[in-house]
C-alpha cells in the first residue's frame, strides 16, 4: 500500500468558537487527524479578507451575514478575532473535513466539531465554529491569503524576494 502524500489545509476557529471558549476542545479534536501544525496565529478579520476568503459565495443571499459572522460583528469587540492554523500531513484535507463535519451544523455528525458545537441562529446564519479547506486548490489559495511565508515553519509554496522602500516598522519600545 502506498503512503498518501503530505497535504496542507487551513483551519480557522471562527468567532463563535472563540466566544464559546472552544479553541482547546477544537485543537484536541483535530489532534485525532495526526497532523502537524506549521502555522498558527490570532487575528482580526478585515472586511476585505473576509470577502476574499468567501468570494466563491458572493452571489448567495447569506453572503453579507456570512462576512459579518466571520468578522465576529454579531459578538462583542473582544470576540472579533479568529485563530488561523495550517496543518500538514497525509490526507490532511479529508481528515480535517471529517473531524469538522458537514457545513450545516444541524446536519453534521453529532460527534464532529460542527455537530457538537455549531448552531443555526434565528437569522439563519450557520455558526459552524470552524473553517476547513475543501480541496488542495482551495487550501493553497486560502493559506496564501491568510499567512505570509515567514509565518509558516518550513517550506510550503515557492517564494520570491521583493525589494521594499526603506520605511517605518513598529518594534517593541
Ligand atoms: P464549508 O464551510 O463547509 O466549506 P461552504 O464553503 O459551502 O461550506 O460555505 C462557507 C460557509 O458559508 C459555511 O461554513 C457556512 C456558510 N453557509 C454555507 N451555506 C449556507 C446556507 N445555506 N445558509 C447559511 N450559511 C451558509
Ligand atoms: Mg468551503
Amino acid at each position: 500500500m502506498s503512503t498518501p502524500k503530505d497535504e496542507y489545509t487551513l483551519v480557522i476557529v471562527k468567532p463563535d468558537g472563540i466566544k464559546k471558549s472552544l479553541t482547546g476542545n477544537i485543537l484536541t479534536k483535530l489532534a485525532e487527524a495526526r497532523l502537524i501544525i506549521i502555522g498558527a496565529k490570532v487575528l482580526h478579520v478585515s472586511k476585505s479578507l473576509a470577502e476574499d476568503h468567501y468570494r466563491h459565495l458572493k452571489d448567495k443571499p447569506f453572503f453579507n451575514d456570512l462576512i459579518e459572522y466571520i468578522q465576529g460583528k454579531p459578538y462583542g469587540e473582544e470576540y472579533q478575532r479568529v485563530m488561523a492554523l495550517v496543518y500538514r500531513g497525509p490526507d490532511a484535507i479529508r481528515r480535517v473535513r471529517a473531524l469538522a463535519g458537514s457545513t450545516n451544523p444541524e446536519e453534521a455528525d453529532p460527534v464532529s466539531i460542527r455537530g457538537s458545537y455549531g448552531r443555526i441562529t434565528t437569522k439563519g446564519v450557520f455558526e459552524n465554529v470552524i473553517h476547513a479547506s475543501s480541496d488542495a486548490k482551495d487550501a493553497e489559495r486560502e493559506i496564501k491569503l491568510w499567512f505570509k511565508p515567514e509565518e509558516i515553519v518550513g517550506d510550503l509554496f515557492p517564494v520570491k524576494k521583493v525589494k521594499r522602500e526603506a520605511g517605518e516598522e513598529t518594534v517593541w519600545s
Side-chain angles (χ1 to χ4, degrees):
M1 214 178 78
S2 66
T3 325
K5 77 169 179 43
D6 266 9
E7 288 179 349
Y8 310 94
T9 190
L10 179 79
V11 169
I12 299 166
V13 179
K14 296 178 177 179
D16 54 322
I18 301 282
K19 181 164 187 180
K20 291 173 173 169
S21 207
L22 289 171
T23 308
N25 305 50
I26 290 166
L27 294 185
T28 299
K29 186 74 184 165
L30 291 176
E32 290 174 26
R34 315 206 72 167
L35 303 169
I36 63 164
I37 296 171
I38 59 168
K41 61 179 176 179
V42 174
L43 74 158
H44 173 78
V45 181
S46 68
K47 189 158 191 259
S48 68
L49 174 59
E51 287 179 346
D52 207 347
H53 178 73
Y54 281 131
R55 68 184 182 199
H56 62 295
L57 297 169
K58 69 175 186 311
D59 297 327
K60 299 283 184 195
F62 56 82
F63 184 69
N64 287 340
D65 286 339
L66 178 62
I67 297 308
E68 299 226 315
Y69 160 53
I70 192 73
Q71 292 191 268
K73 287 279 166 70
Y75 318 116
E77 206 169 306
E78 67 269 44
Y79 306 118
Q80 294 183 7
R81 59 198 159 86
V82 299
M83 185 168 194
L85 303 126
V86 180
Y87 281 85
R88 190 188 85 198
D91 208 13
I93 295 167
R94 193 197 53 80
R95 285 186 193 178
V96 171
R97 290 285 293 192
L99 292 168
S102 307
T103 304
N104 180 335
E106 305 287 342
E107 290 173 1
D109 176 342
V111 180
S112 68
I113 293 165
R114 288 167 164 180
S116 300
Y117 304 122
R119 67 166 190 154
I120 302 179
T121 69
T122 48
K123 243 185 125 183
V125 175
F126 289 9
E127 287 190 344
N128 58 9
V129 186
I130 69 165
H131 168 80
S133 305
S134 53
D135 58 44
K137 198 163 152 275
D138 275 357
E140 179 170 347
R141 184 183 86 80
E142 292 169 0
I143 292 166
K144 288 177 173 174
L145 183 63
W146 288 79
F147 283 85
K148 295 178 188 159
E150 73 257 25
E151 293 173 324
I152 300 290
V153 176
D155 294 331
L156 185 50
F157 306 119
V159 294
K160 64 179 179 189
K161 300 278 183 202
V162 291
K163 284 258 179 284
R164 290 256 181 257
E165 289 291 317
E168 263 185 357
E169 189 188 352
T170 303
V171 295
W172 305 118
S173 59

